[in-house]
Amino acid sequence: MISPAITRLIEALRCLPGVGPKSAQRMVFYLLQHAREQAKLLASSLDYAASNVTHCNRCRTFSERDICLLCNNPNRDQSLLCIVETPIDMLVLEQTGTYRGYYFVLMGKLSPLDGIGPEEIGINQLLERLEKEPIKEVVLATNPTVEGDTTAHYIAEKCKAVNISCTRIARGVPLGSELEYLDSRTLTQAFTHRALLAEACD
Amino acid sequence: MHVLLQPAWILHTRAYRETSLIVDLLTQDHGRITLVANGVRGHKKSSSYALLQPFTAVLVSWSGKTSLYNLRQVEAQQKMSYTLVGRRLISGFYANELLMYLLHRDDPCYELYQRYTRLITQLAHNNRPYHAKLRYFEKNLLALLGYALNLTCERNEQGQMIKMDANYSFDPEMGFSRCQNRVGKPSFCGASLLALDQEILTTPKHLQDAKQLLRLALQYHLRGRVLKSPLLL
């Protein structure tokens, strides 16, 4: 018989994506047998994060403060606002180090068939920021899916109403891939949005 | 059941488990169906994921015994790669919402597939007007579902013909009747009704009347469900 504490822990771990009963079992026994200290650290970190992390009041990303570290940084470019779907998108964009402005996280995307409308993605909060802050350009970095495009279009219309220029991240052939293996839609898009070779024209 | 390379349009997709999708399609010969596409999400399999986006015309093979089939193969239909933008994209979503809520699964309707194809083609060409085409699609969708509007006769016992210069009120259950200019109730001009019937909507007044009328009729069949896409316009 396995102790109820262990059964409970196995059940609890199964809430993670991709973790089935077998993996959960392995994790539990590993933690108890070889990593007691780390297990305590994991438990306390989880507890702290779950009770303290909320959303940043400015960009809506996850944060344990009212205003997140990035929004608090005065050295970033105030005239730029990048709009992303999820906090992970924001993280990967930050890791590239190419963008120096601020962010707004929608925490989702417009999807009429899933019942997700403008209110659910915090559009009022975004409009408030567009009015109050000296933003000159909004960069739409929503995913290149149909729902992502709908979201981008909707926000672009709102920006137009308040005279703020709006750009969308480019789409097309991924680096290191081959045209032969691309799907026809991506190829069509890449062809439609082909860009001038600046160096060659100089 | 095993179906090979059936022409279809993707209507909607939902994430399912870690790497799979649940996909709703409108097929040419099998009506609206729902499939599970296993292992298509994530960067490694992105080429079929790119095909499984709404408003993509595909050839699809599936198998299965229950009403949730398994996707076996998906290919793009050649020369049918359309991209909808802006308001046209939202109109496309509107059509998809109607199909998702009003169509029963596995109920074949070849004509609906043809009409949907024509609608999406129209929406994809940015220089062509599309409002009238959207109205004809709504009208024909109602007819194909068995709820056709009788746009030429009044609802009274004599079945008088709709007259160009008269005004009519509409009841989703009963049909049209001469309108005594009651305040608050929408009324429709006879000419608009006849133009919608013959699919020759041209003037803004006709288009406006047709839009209002079809909204009333569809609302009745949607049984109180609120569509989200009109909110985005």
Side-chain angles (χ1 to χ4, degrees), chain A residues 174-190:
Chain A
L175 284 187
S177 64
E178 292 166 47
L179 295 194
E180 184 188 350
Y181 298 110
L182 273 187
D183 66 284
S184 63
R185 289 199 97 190
T186 307
L187 209 50
T188 312
Q189 291 267 342

Side-chain angles (χ1 to χ4, degrees), chain B residues 99-216:
Chain B
L99 293 181
M100 288 289 289
Y101 299 144
L102 293 174
L103 283 187
H104 292 288
R105 283 210 192 100
D106 301 295
D107 188 7
C109 187
Y110 177 78
E111 193 184 335
L112 186 62
Y113 178 84
Q114 297 299 332
R115 289 196 178 273
Y116 183 79
T117 306
R118 259 178 266 156
L119 177 71
I120 297 299
T121 319
Q122 191 79 14
L123 288 174
H125 288 89
N126 284 335
N127 46 1
R128 295 190 201 164
Y130 65 95
H131 289 104
K133 285 283 185 311
L134 198 55
R135 299 290 90 83
Y136 306 152
F137 178 77
E138 291 173 315
K139 184 194 86 167
N140 289 308
L141 174 64
L142 281 172
L144 292 166
L145 289 167
Y147 307 122
L149 298 172
N150 186 347
L151 293 161
T152 51
C153 290
E154 280 186 53
R155 73 178 198 204
N156 59 15
E157 279 156 20
Q158 294 87 31
Q160 279 171 334
M161 302 302 277
I162 298 275
K163 293 194 180 64
M164 292 282 273
D165 50 358
N167 276 328
Y168 296 88
S169 67
F170 175 68
D171 181 316
E173 280 184 37
M174 310 288 284
F176 296 96
S177 55
R178 278 280 185 115
C179 163
Q180 270 78 44
N181 270 347
R182 261 180 298 169
V183 187
K185 229 182 166 188
S187 74
F188 307 97
C189 154
S192 305
L193 304 182
L194 294 172
L196 176 62
D197 184 55
Q198 291 161 25
E199 306 201 351
I200 45 168
L201 293 172
T202 42
T203 67
K205 164 78 177 151
H206 289 178
L207 280 165
Q208 187 56 36
D209 271 358
K211 185 175 179 176
Q212 209 179 358
L213 168 70
L214 286 157
R215 193 149 289 181
L216 270 179

Side-chain angles (χ1 to χ4, degrees), chain A residues 158-173:
Chain A
K158 296 282 173 201
C159 289
K160 213 159 124 194
V162 289
N163 269 331
I164 293 175
S165 78
C166 216
T167 51
R168 176 102 165 90
I169 52 166
R171 55 181 70 189
V173 187

Side-chain angles (χ1 to χ4, degrees), chain B residues 5 21 72 78 120 127 190:
Chain B
L5 296 174
L21 276 181
R72 294 283 168 227
Q78 288 196 353
I120 297 299
N127 46 1

